[in-house]
mmCIF file of all heavy atoms in Angstrom:
data_model
loop_
_atom_site.group_PDB
_atom_site.id
_atom_site.type_symbol
_atom_site.label_atom_id
_atom_site.label_comp_id
_atom_site.label_asym_id
_atom_site.label_seq_id
_atom_site.Cartn_x
_atom_site.Cartn_y
_atom_site.Cartn_z
ATOM 1 N N PHE A 30 256.589 -133.667 -48.265
ATOM 2 C CA PHE A 30 257.375 -134.690 -47.622
ATOM 3 C C PHE A 30 258.840 -134.545 -47.755
ATOM 4 O O PHE A 30 259.513 -135.508 -48.080
ATOM 5 C CB PHE A 30 256.882 -136.066 -47.874
ATOM 6 C CG PHE A 30 255.546 -136.437 -47.428
ATOM 7 C CD1 PHE A 30 254.448 -136.117 -48.271
ATOM 8 C CD2 PHE A 30 255.379 -137.089 -46.276
ATOM 9 C CE1 PHE A 30 253.118 -136.447 -47.807
ATOM 10 C CE2 PHE A 30 254.155 -137.418 -45.875
ATOM 11 C CZ PHE A 30 252.951 -137.035 -46.637
ATOM 12 N N THR A 31 259.397 -133.331 -47.513
ATOM 13 C CA THR A 31 260.784 -133.167 -47.691
ATOM 14 C C THR A 31 261.586 -134.052 -46.634
ATOM 15 O O THR A 31 261.144 -134.280 -45.558
ATOM 16 C CB THR A 31 261.211 -131.724 -47.267
ATOM 17 O OG1 THR A 31 260.616 -131.290 -46.067
ATOM 18 C CG2 THR A 31 260.764 -130.763 -48.531
ATOM 19 N N VAL A 32 262.598 -134.695 -47.072
ATOM 20 C CA VAL A 32 263.362 -135.513 -46.369
ATOM 21 C C VAL A 32 264.484 -134.819 -45.578
ATOM 22 O O VAL A 32 265.305 -134.194 -46.148
ATOM 23 C CB VAL A 32 264.017 -136.578 -47.203
ATOM 24 C CG1 VAL A 32 264.832 -137.575 -46.362
ATOM 25 C CG2 VAL A 32 263.052 -137.337 -47.958
ATOM 26 N N VAL A 33 264.305 -134.669 -44.294
ATOM 27 C CA VAL A 33 265.220 -133.846 -43.478
ATOM 28 C C VAL A 33 266.194 -134.800 -42.644
ATOM 29 O O VAL A 33 265.632 -135.762 -42.123
ATOM 30 C CB VAL A 33 264.365 -132.918 -42.418
ATOM 31 C CG1 VAL A 33 265.291 -132.055 -41.649
ATOM 32 C CG2 VAL A 33 263.447 -132.102 -43.272
ATOM 33 N N GLN A 34 267.409 -134.371 -42.568
ATOM 34 C CA GLN A 34 268.285 -135.185 -41.732
ATOM 35 C C GLN A 34 267.771 -135.343 -40.336
ATOM 36 O O GLN A 34 267.412 -134.328 -39.660
ATOM 37 C CB GLN A 34 269.734 -134.425 -41.712
ATOM 38 C CG GLN A 34 270.837 -135.195 -41.024
ATOM 39 C CD GLN A 34 271.220 -136.392 -41.959
ATOM 40 O OE1 GLN A 34 271.198 -136.377 -43.068
ATOM 41 N NE2 GLN A 34 271.731 -137.467 -41.214
ATOM 42 N N GLY A 35 267.838 -136.559 -39.875
ATOM 43 C CA GLY A 35 267.279 -136.961 -38.605
ATOM 44 C C GLY A 35 265.860 -137.227 -38.511
ATOM 45 O O GLY A 35 265.409 -137.612 -37.355
ATOM 46 N N GLN A 36 265.202 -137.070 -39.568
ATOM 47 C CA GLN A 36 263.700 -137.275 -39.524
ATOM 48 C C GLN A 36 263.398 -138.636 -40.324
ATOM 49 O O GLN A 36 262.301 -138.780 -40.781
ATOM 50 C CB GLN A 36 262.957 -136.150 -40.150
ATOM 51 C CG GLN A 36 262.761 -134.930 -39.148
ATOM 52 C CD GLN A 36 261.802 -134.015 -39.665
ATOM 53 O OE1 GLN A 36 261.596 -133.812 -40.775
ATOM 54 N NE2 GLN A 36 261.273 -133.326 -38.727
ATOM 55 N N TYR A 37 264.419 -139.441 -40.544
ATOM 56 C CA TYR A 37 264.226 -140.704 -41.131
ATOM 57 C C TYR A 37 265.104 -141.723 -40.498
ATOM 58 O O TYR A 37 266.181 -141.450 -39.954
ATOM 59 C CB TYR A 37 264.351 -140.641 -42.652
ATOM 60 C CG TYR A 37 265.700 -140.306 -43.206
ATOM 61 C CD1 TYR A 37 266.739 -141.199 -43.133
ATOM 62 C CD2 TYR A 37 265.972 -139.051 -43.674
ATOM 63 C CE1 TYR A 37 268.042 -140.866 -43.592
ATOM 64 C CE2 TYR A 37 267.214 -138.706 -44.045
ATOM 65 C CZ TYR A 37 268.213 -139.612 -44.061
ATOM 66 O OH TYR A 37 269.516 -139.215 -44.599
ATOM 67 N N LEU A 38 264.664 -142.986 -40.624
ATOM 68 C CA LEU A 38 265.468 -144.221 -40.004
ATOM 69 C C LEU A 38 265.609 -145.111 -41.142
ATOM 70 O O LEU A 38 264.567 -145.310 -41.949
ATOM 71 C CB LEU A 38 264.928 -144.716 -38.831
ATOM 72 C CG LEU A 38 264.779 -143.833 -37.618
ATOM 73 C CD1 LEU A 38 263.953 -144.483 -36.491
ATOM 74 C CD2 LEU A 38 266.085 -143.354 -36.973
ATOM 75 N N VAL A 39 266.659 -145.813 -41.358
ATOM 76 C CA VAL A 39 266.859 -146.813 -42.332
ATOM 77 C C VAL A 39 267.131 -148.223 -41.660
ATOM 78 O O VAL A 39 268.093 -148.240 -40.819
ATOM 79 C CB VAL A 39 267.927 -146.511 -43.400
ATOM 80 C CG1 VAL A 39 268.022 -147.666 -44.394
ATOM 81 C CG2 VAL A 39 267.700 -145.093 -43.975
ATOM 82 N N ASN A 40 266.428 -149.145 -41.975
ATOM 83 C CA ASN A 40 266.633 -150.578 -41.262
ATOM 84 C C ASN A 40 266.679 -151.477 -42.417
ATOM 85 O O ASN A 40 265.901 -151.545 -43.366
ATOM 86 C CB ASN A 40 265.592 -150.751 -40.266
ATOM 87 C CG ASN A 40 265.609 -149.859 -39.162
ATOM 88 O OD1 ASN A 40 266.477 -149.655 -38.384
ATOM 89 N ND2 ASN A 40 264.422 -149.127 -39.040
ATOM 90 N N ALA A 41 267.537 -152.620 -42.270
ATOM 91 C CA ALA A 41 267.610 -153.735 -43.011
ATOM 92 C C ALA A 41 266.915 -154.870 -42.235
ATOM 93 O O ALA A 41 267.351 -155.102 -41.093
ATOM 94 C CB ALA A 41 269.048 -154.258 -43.390
ATOM 95 N N LYS A 42 266.001 -155.592 -42.921
ATOM 96 C CA LYS A 42 265.141 -156.555 -42.157
ATOM 97 C C LYS A 42 265.538 -157.917 -42.404
ATOM 98 O O LYS A 42 264.847 -158.901 -42.324
ATOM 99 C CB LYS A 42 263.754 -156.363 -42.565
ATOM 100 C CG LYS A 42 263.165 -154.987 -41.992
ATOM 101 C CD LYS A 42 261.627 -154.885 -42.120
ATOM 102 C CE LYS A 42 260.974 -155.738 -41.186
ATOM 103 N NZ LYS A 42 259.458 -155.527 -41.256
ATOM 104 N N THR A 43 266.831 -158.185 -43.043
ATOM 105 C CA THR A 43 267.273 -159.531 -43.357
ATOM 106 C C THR A 43 268.816 -159.491 -43.224
ATOM 107 O O THR A 43 269.401 -158.502 -43.626
ATOM 108 C CB THR A 43 266.885 -160.058 -44.702
ATOM 109 O OG1 THR A 43 267.468 -161.242 -44.962
ATOM 110 C CG2 THR A 43 267.206 -159.098 -45.754
ATOM 111 N N ASN A 44 269.369 -160.542 -42.754
ATOM 112 C CA ASN A 44 270.840 -160.696 -42.597
ATOM 113 C C ASN A 44 271.494 -160.698 -43.911
ATOM 114 O O ASN A 44 272.750 -160.438 -44.012
ATOM 115 C CB ASN A 44 271.144 -161.922 -41.797
ATOM 116 C CG ASN A 44 270.740 -161.894 -40.360
ATOM 117 O OD1 ASN A 44 270.674 -160.721 -39.826
ATOM 118 N ND2 ASN A 44 270.452 -162.931 -39.832
ATOM 119 N N SER A 45 270.773 -160.966 -44.925
ATOM 120 C CA SER A 45 271.406 -161.107 -46.340
ATOM 121 C C SER A 45 271.533 -159.755 -46.977
ATOM 122 O O SER A 45 272.086 -159.639 -48.000
ATOM 123 C CB SER A 45 270.617 -161.988 -47.237
ATOM 124 O OG SER A 45 269.359 -161.459 -47.579
ATOM 125 N N LEU A 46 271.184 -158.641 -46.301
ATOM 126 C CA LEU A 46 271.159 -157.396 -46.885
ATOM 127 C C LEU A 46 272.068 -156.417 -45.956
ATOM 128 O O LEU A 46 271.981 -156.411 -44.777
ATOM 129 C CB LEU A 46 269.689 -156.803 -46.803
ATOM 130 C CG LEU A 46 269.437 -155.378 -47.394
ATOM 131 C CD1 LEU A 46 269.847 -155.316 -48.819
ATOM 132 C CD2 LEU A 46 268.088 -154.973 -47.180
ATOM 133 N N SER A 47 272.952 -155.737 -46.630
ATOM 134 C CA SER A 47 273.676 -154.748 -45.938
ATOM 135 C C SER A 47 273.800 -153.431 -46.640
ATOM 136 O O SER A 47 273.555 -153.395 -47.839
ATOM 137 C CB SER A 47 275.076 -155.259 -45.738
ATOM 138 O OG SER A 47 275.788 -155.551 -47.016
ATOM 139 N N TYR A 48 274.153 -152.394 -45.984
ATOM 140 C CA TYR A 48 274.305 -151.053 -46.565
ATOM 141 C C TYR A 48 275.158 -150.205 -45.692
ATOM 142 O O TYR A 48 275.400 -150.531 -44.509
ATOM 143 C CB TYR A 48 272.855 -150.366 -46.822
ATOM 144 C CG TYR A 48 272.165 -150.176 -45.522
ATOM 145 C CD1 TYR A 48 272.331 -148.991 -44.894
ATOM 146 C CD2 TYR A 48 271.393 -151.144 -44.904
ATOM 147 C CE1 TYR A 48 271.604 -148.873 -43.499
ATOM 148 C CE2 TYR A 48 270.701 -151.029 -43.794
ATOM 149 C CZ TYR A 48 270.821 -149.786 -43.158
ATOM 150 O OH TYR A 48 270.180 -149.660 -41.909
ATOM 151 N N SER A 49 275.587 -149.066 -46.236
ATOM 152 C CA SER A 49 276.350 -148.223 -45.383
ATOM 153 C C SER A 49 275.661 -146.934 -45.013
ATOM 154 O O SER A 49 275.204 -146.245 -45.879
ATOM 155 C CB SER A 49 277.661 -147.870 -46.106
ATOM 156 O OG SER A 49 278.338 -146.864 -45.533
ATOM 157 N N ASN A 50 275.534 -146.675 -43.772
ATOM 158 C CA ASN A 50 274.882 -145.408 -43.229
ATOM 159 C C ASN A 50 275.620 -144.245 -43.787
ATOM 160 O O ASN A 50 275.010 -143.119 -44.057
ATOM 161 C CB ASN A 50 274.869 -145.392 -41.751
ATOM 162 C CG ASN A 50 273.761 -146.249 -41.092
ATOM 163 O OD1 ASN A 50 272.666 -146.227 -41.624
ATOM 164 N ND2 ASN A 50 274.140 -147.082 -40.142
ATOM 165 N N LYS A 51 276.892 -144.340 -44.005
ATOM 166 C CA LYS A 51 277.697 -143.185 -44.409
ATOM 167 C C LYS A 51 277.232 -142.802 -45.921
ATOM 168 O O LYS A 51 277.559 -141.666 -46.347
ATOM 169 C CB LYS A 51 279.142 -143.481 -44.472
ATOM 170 C CG LYS A 51 279.648 -143.596 -43.011
ATOM 171 C CD LYS A 51 281.247 -143.933 -43.053
ATOM 172 C CE LYS A 51 281.624 -144.073 -41.561
ATOM 173 N NZ LYS A 51 283.129 -144.342 -41.629
ATOM 174 N N GLU A 52 276.757 -143.714 -46.663
ATOM 175 C CA GLU A 52 276.243 -143.449 -48.072
ATOM 176 C C GLU A 52 274.878 -142.947 -48.186
ATOM 177 O O GLU A 52 274.362 -142.876 -49.307
ATOM 178 C CB GLU A 52 276.578 -144.696 -48.837
ATOM 179 C CG GLU A 52 277.972 -145.135 -48.951
ATOM 180 C CD GLU A 52 278.239 -146.372 -49.872
ATOM 181 O OE1 GLU A 52 278.154 -146.231 -51.056
ATOM 182 O OE2 GLU A 52 278.333 -147.424 -49.218
ATOM 183 N N LEU A 53 274.193 -142.824 -47.131
ATOM 184 C CA LEU A 53 272.820 -142.304 -47.111
ATOM 185 C C LEU A 53 272.976 -140.815 -47.555
ATOM 186 O O LEU A 53 273.813 -140.101 -46.971
ATOM 187 C CB LEU A 53 272.137 -142.479 -45.850
ATOM 188 C CG LEU A 53 271.726 -143.793 -45.405
ATOM 189 C CD1 LEU A 53 271.105 -143.791 -43.986
ATOM 190 C CD2 LEU A 53 270.737 -144.330 -46.390
ATOM 191 N N SER A 54 272.127 -140.292 -48.342
ATOM 192 C CA SER A 54 272.094 -138.867 -48.770
ATOM 193 C C SER A 54 270.595 -138.501 -48.912
ATOM 194 O O SER A 54 269.796 -139.366 -49.162
ATOM 195 C CB SER A 54 272.808 -138.595 -50.003
ATOM 196 O OG SER A 54 272.178 -139.309 -51.005
ATOM 197 N N ASP A 55 270.436 -137.205 -48.597
ATOM 198 C CA ASP A 55 269.000 -136.653 -48.955
ATOM 199 C C ASP A 55 269.063 -135.412 -49.637
ATOM 200 O O ASP A 55 269.865 -134.554 -49.458
ATOM 201 C CB ASP A 55 268.142 -136.411 -47.567
ATOM 202 C CG ASP A 55 269.040 -135.638 -46.632
ATOM 203 O OD1 ASP A 55 269.781 -136.292 -45.844
ATOM 204 O OD2 ASP A 55 268.816 -134.414 -46.518
ATOM 205 N N SER A 56 268.149 -135.278 -50.573
ATOM 206 C CA SER A 56 268.179 -134.037 -51.512
ATOM 207 C C SER A 56 266.735 -133.821 -51.941
ATOM 208 O O SER A 56 266.182 -134.462 -52.749
ATOM 209 C CB SER A 56 269.067 -134.343 -52.783
ATOM 210 O OG SER A 56 268.932 -133.295 -53.689
ATOM 211 N N GLY A 57 266.244 -132.801 -51.118
ATOM 212 C CA GLY A 57 264.781 -132.348 -51.594
ATOM 213 C C GLY A 57 263.905 -133.436 -51.298
ATOM 214 O O GLY A 57 263.678 -133.941 -50.249
ATOM 215 N N LEU A 58 263.253 -133.894 -52.316
ATOM 216 C CA LEU A 58 262.126 -134.952 -52.176
ATOM 217 C C LEU A 58 262.680 -136.410 -52.495
ATOM 218 O O LEU A 58 261.877 -137.257 -52.748
ATOM 219 C CB LEU A 58 261.010 -134.630 -53.078
ATOM 220 C CG LEU A 58 260.335 -133.224 -52.957
ATOM 221 C CD1 LEU A 58 259.247 -133.071 -53.858
ATOM 222 C CD2 LEU A 58 259.844 -133.169 -51.448
#
């Protein structure tokens, strides 16, 4: 299940939660 750029989506399911897409990184597994 290698994590490949473009093969995952990240979603926050509550307004009290925030994150930065720019800080997403993938490395191997």
Side-chain angles (χ1 to χ4, degrees):
F30 287 87
T31 53
V32 182
V33 179
Q34 185 71 32
Q36 286 192 331
Y37 60 79
L38 300 173
V39 182
N40 299 297
K42 297 187 70 175
T43 172
N44 292 331
S45 65
L46 181 63
S47 62
Y48 60 92
S49 170
N50 282 310
K51 294 180 181 180
E52 294 183 79
L53 289 176
S54 64
D55 51 272
S56 175
L58 302 179

